[in-house]
Amino acid sequence: MAKLSIVVRNEKRKKQVAKYAAKRKELKKAGDYAALDKLPKNASPIRVRNRCELTGRPRGYIRQFGLCRIQFRDMAHAGKIPGIKKASW
């Protein structure tokens, strides 16, 4: 499990990205890069890291499910993800 402070920081960034999304889009469309520069650094969507919803793990993230590979595998084996089953041939 990731440190709680790291997970909280990422959530804070997500909120800031959502808050400034419309303004960023407007400034980009106008080509006003000087004003875009004055926005907070964390308002940029590139600074948000995809993390597992359960553990906060940043690596091995499966975007479609919002989980890391380890949690995805555990939940699939337990039958908690509908339509997913272990492949065998």
Side-chain angles (χ1 to χ4, degrees), residues 19-30:
K19 180 180 175 183
Y20 286 98
K23 190 169 187 173
R24 284 183 63 82
K25 189 175 180 181
E26 188 179 296
L27 290 172
K28 273 191 156 184
K29 190 175 181 182

Side-chain angles (χ1 to χ4, degrees), residues 5-50:
S5 61
I6 304 287
V7 174
V8 169
R9 186 186 313 156
N10 200 49
E11 292 301 317
K12 197 173 174 183
R13 284 180 180 158
K14 283 182 187 177
K15 286 179 186 174
Q16 204 163 30
V17 166
K19 180 180 175 183
Y20 286 98
K23 190 169 187 173
R24 284 183 63 82
K25 189 175 180 181
E26 188 179 296
L27 290 172
K28 273 191 156 184
K29 190 175 181 182
D32 190 2
Y33 296 108
L36 200 58
D37 240 5
K38 291 179 181 172
L39 293 179
K41 277 185 186 179
N42 287 334
S44 174
I46 202 74
R47 291 178 63 95
V48 175
R49 180 86 163 133
N50 286 331

